[in-house]
Amino acid sequence: MANEENFMRVPAPTPKRTVYTEAMEIFHRAADLIGLDKRVRLELEEPDYEHIFYVTAKLKDRLVPLTPEQARDFSDLQPTQVRNPEGLERLADGKIILNGRALLGSDVSIRRGHLRLPDGHVYQLVPGESQRFKAYRVQHNQARGPYKGGIRYHREVSLDLFKALAAEMTWKTAISEVPFGGGKGGIQIDPRAYGREELENITLRFMYKLKSMIGPNIDIPAPDVGTNGDIMALMYRQYSDGERDRHGMRGIVTGKDVRIGGSEGRAAATGQGVAFCIEDYYAEKGENLRGKSFILQGFGNVGSHGAAILQRMGARLLAVNDADGTIYNGDGIDVTALLAHVNDPKNLRRSVLGFAGAQKIDKKDFWEVQADICLPAALGGEITADVAERLKVKLVAEGANGPTTPEADRVLQKRGIDMIPDIIANAGGVTVSYYEWIQNKRMERWSEPEVNQRLEHAMKRNYRIIRDISRNQSRRSDTHDSRPFCIGKEVDPRCAAMILALKRIEAHYLLEGFSQ
Ligand code: NAD
């Protein structure tokens, strides 16, 4: 007996805190509040499948620049006259890939594996070797339809992160009422450190390995950080090449170029969706975006399109932070001119830094710029409790996935800063991905106004339901019906969004039952 008592007093081990457990805190809170069916909860608590696999590729020869100090040993090295300069591909990190026969026929002066290019710099010639990359695909849940979610190419990815992002997709597809589940994956790689052809080979090999796990009715990837329509085109080709039903396989990936079966409006869809939510947030207060100001983190797909659309609606961009630094202009940054700067082929890092229409500031000052809206559109975990204490905005609209930590969420609530949570704010991308998938299935092509009209309707309808759940305002209007989702008490918007997702997913399980 004494032994049993001792045994019972042993405290349960605290589960290790990870990105996934942190992301799931809100799931558990919402599940408790609505009394989510126990078995459905178990189905959703962990992903259906977690794939880790490896991709190998043969790299090309590279020229690696020496530091001025190292170059001193080669001060008398004559410059090589390059015959085929188009074969030299300069990377963001200063290294140069030798494509094809870049140096063929050139008058090469080489000493101890080093050569000088006409730009005056000395480079070490590093022969290309084979390299192995770690790749992932997490398939979180498919109760409502095929797994759906982006492919990320980034140095800092992990199974833990992809689990969190895949679960987010399950919630997001339910919120936006598209018949998909959730998945996510990618490769641990810094894409800016590899040449075009290398990335092509890595992507083709990645799809070669992924092929047995996915399909247009099984799991449908899309672009995410570090990938784009070009990568999707390669994935589509590799998946369908040589197949009899090749054209019936277009829906294997979304986010494709419109010329090969992509949807009008897809490239801008995530930014457009965030803008529709922000517009609706102000419309409810009887206001619009004219004269409103915003700060933006991330000037990639989501950030640049979001900023351009908000600017067209009358808002002013005051500061932008990206992976390389921060720029600020109190009179407003011209988004069109900034896009031209970032897309300039000479801007190898595609960074906002060096933009003539703004001054450089420190990242810590970025978070303290006074504005109406903060639009995070980069990576997760950027708005920490400390940042949340310092923000001088009235609204955070999450373009990125998981940009706000749970502690920061509590700080923002305490400070009365409003929140449009990621699983509704950035759902525009997956919503138009669904439109792309339907168009592929039906061999149709919808116009951009048609796509945007459908998107606006979907975003605003679901955002209004979430607002009603949050305020416990059960009602039916011309545009939406929140009566099946309100829970009899007020909750914060993130929890409200999760309640909407869980109630929709639970309905599938309860109506369909479980296969045994
Ligand atoms: P992207 O690769 O096109 O752009 C990423 C941007 O973030 C770049 O400007 C980069 O410089 C910046 N960045 C990277 N690391 C940073 C850091 N440490 N600090 C500051 N800035 C940093 O990516 P994207 O597709 O625009 O995705 C951005 C976010 O939006 C991600 O969280 C992604 O998961 C989410 N999202 C994307 C889509 C989509 O359709 N692309 C849809 C939903 C959600």
Side-chain angles (χ1 to χ4, degrees):
M1 189 64 196
N3 279 347
E4 200 171 296
E5 270 177 18
N6 286 342
F7 174 74
M8 291 182 67
R9 265 191 231 115
V10 175
T14 326
K16 206 172 124 228
R17 208 155 179 234
T18 66
V19 175
Y20 186 63
T21 59
E22 205 169 88
M24 291 296 279
E25 279 178 25
I26 188 71
F27 162 82
H28 289 294
R29 193 144 59 82
D32 286 345
L33 277 170
I34 64 169
L36 184 69
D37 177 88
K38 176 80 177 117
R39 184 158 175 193
V40 175
R41 190 170 180 149
L42 290 174
E43 288 277 332
L44 291 168
E45 256 175 21
E46 292 291 335
D48 288 347
Y49 305 100
E50 301 168 14
H51 305 280
I52 294 184
F53 52 104
Y54 294 87
V55 174
T56 62
K58 171 91 169 68
L59 301 186
K60 295 186 171 260
D61 297 343
R62 276 166 164 62
L63 296 177
V64 179
L66 297 194
T67 61
E69 250 169 44
Q70 294 167 326
R72 233 174 268 145
D73 291 345
F74 300 91
S75 52
D76 56 342
L77 187 60
Q78 289 306 306
T80 289
Q81 297 310 323
V82 181
R83 278 269 171 81
N84 304 307
E86 61 289 349
L88 302 182
E89 185 183 351
R90 202 174 277 274
L91 302 180
D93 59 6
K95 293 179 187 162
I96 295 174
I97 302 278
L98 298 179
N99 280 319
R101 295 153 185 228
L103 295 180
L104 189 77
S106 305
D107 182 13
V108 187
S109 307
I110 198 156
R111 178 137 58 83
R112 283 192 279 128
H114 291 77
L115 55 84
R116 185 186 295 280
L117 287 187
D119 66 8
H121 288 107
V122 179
Y123 294 82
Q124 182 184 6
L125 180 64
V126 178
E129 289 187 342
S130 294
Q131 194 174 338
R132 185 177 52 215
F133 302 89
K134 195 166 184 179
Y136 304 83
R137 186 71 186 170
V138 175
Q139 296 167 322
H140 178 261
N141 186 271
Q142 59 168 346
R144 300 183 58 267
Y147 302 108
K148 182 87 188 83
I151 296 293
R152 183 173 290 199
Y153 285 2
H154 196 266
R155 229 179 3 219
E156 281 150 38
V157 296
S158 61
L159 184 63
D160 180 36
L161 175 69
F162 281 130
K163 280 175 68 177
L165 293 170
E168 278 230 356
M169 288 307 298
T170 302
W171 322 139
K172 205 179 296 181
T173 48
I175 284 174
S176 45
E177 280 187 298
V178 296
F180 291 138
K184 204 86 175 191
I187 310 181
Q188 192 173 54
I189 184 175
D190 175 2
R192 298 197 299 187
Y194 296 87
R196 259 189 325 274
E197 286 180 27
E198 288 176 334
L199 280 175
E200 175 170 346
N201 292 338
I202 293 164
T203 300
L204 295 178
R205 192 70 187 164
F206 174 58
M207 185 47 126
Y208 172 81
K209 291 273 181 100
L210 194 63
K211 192 169 173 177
S212 59
M213 306 165 202
I214 66 172
N217 295 319
I218 299 169
D219 182 355
I220 307 142
D224 190 64
V225 175
T227 61
N228 54 23
D230 295 346
I231 300 284
M232 294 307 114
L234 293 168
M235 291 181 72
Y236 166 47
R237 188 183 93 204
Q238 178 73 330
Y239 187 85
S240 61
D241 230 5
E243 298 285 346
R244 260 166 72 95
D245 183 30
R246 181 171 143 68
H247 297 295
M249 296 178 173
R250 271 196 201 154
I252 181 58
V253 286
T254 57
K256 302 179 291 287
D257 189 300
V258 286
R259 291 166 297 184
I260 58 164
S263 176
E264 295 287 351
R266 174 59 184 90
T270 308
Q272 179 69 71
V274 182
F276 281 143
C277 286
I278 298 175
E279 188 182 43
D280 208 53
Y281 166 89
Y282 282 112
E284 211 218 359
K285 298 175 185 292
E287 297 175 36
N288 62 36
L289 275 151
R290 205 145 288 286
K292 297 283 184 302
S293 56
F294 66 109
I295 60 171
L296 169 68
Q297 185 183 45
F299 199 72
N301 174 285
V302 180
S304 64
H305 283 108
I309 294 163
L310 291 176
Q311 180 172 276
R312 282 205 294 277
M313 289 174 164
R316 215 159 25 105
L317 174 61
L318 299 184
V320 189
N321 166 254
D322 73 7
D324 298 296
T326 310
I327 57 169
Y328 168 79
N329 185 342
D331 294 329
I333 293 170
D334 178 357
V335 178
T336 315
L338 183 59
L339 259 175
H341 168 77
V342 168
N343 290 331
D344 182 340
K346 289 201 285 296
N347 184 351
L348 291 174
R349 300 187 72 82
R350 296 175 58 84
S351 172
V352 298
L353 280 189
F355 177 59
Q359 68 185 92
K360 185 171 181 275
I361 61 167
D362 277 353
K363 183 169 179 179
K364 70 172 182 14
D365 298 328
F366 167 76
W367 297 117
E368 292 182 16
V369 171
Q370 184 130 23
D372 293 294
I373 308 155
C374 170
L375 173 48
L379 300 181
E382 282 287 310
I383 303 183
T384 57
D386 172 55
V387 167
E389 288 287 1
R390 290 190 287 129
L391 277 176
K392 293 195 173 71
V393 297
K394 297 177 197 130
L395 169 70
V396 173
E398 296 184 324
N401 282 314
T404 312
T405 66
E407 292 77 21
D409 238 353
R410 288 188 274 277
V411 174
L412 294 178
Q413 275 172 44
K414 184 192 75 191
R415 294 189 57 212
I417 295 175
D418 286 337
M419 164 67 69
I420 308 180
D422 51 4
I423 46 179
I424 176 69
N426 68 34
V430 76
T431 304
V432 178
S433 274
Y434 169 57
Y435 302 159
E436 178 174 336
W437 185 76
I438 300 182
Q439 290 171 74
N440 290 163
K441 273 201 173 297
R442 299 186 189 159
M443 292 286 185
E444 284 181 1
R445 182 145 181 197
W446 303 355
S447 70
E448 191 172 350
E450 187 178 352
V451 167
N452 281 339
Q453 209 177 2
R454 285 176 191 253
L455 176 65
E456 177 170 8
H457 189 68
M459 293 296 300
K460 291 186 177 173
R461 181 179 69 242
N462 288 304
Y463 180 40
R464 286 171 194 170
I465 295 175
I466 290 170
R467 273 200 315 242
D468 284 358
I469 300 171
S470 175
R471 294 174 191 155
N472 191 29
Q473 212 170 57
S474 178
R475 64 178 161 150
R476 182 183 183 170
S477 79
D478 293 347
T479 58
H480 72 289
D481 185 357
S482 58
R483 291 170 305 170
F485 305 107
C486 290
I487 62 160
K489 64 187 233 178
E490 292 180 13
V491 289
D492 61 276
R494 196 183 302 283
C495 190
M498 185 60 87
I499 287 170
L500 176 60
L502 294 186
K503 285 202 168 199
R504 283 184 176 154
I505 298 166
E506 186 182 44
H508 268 260
Y509 277 109
L510 298 186
L511 290 168
E512 285 180 28
F514 292 87
S515 306
Q516 302 296 338

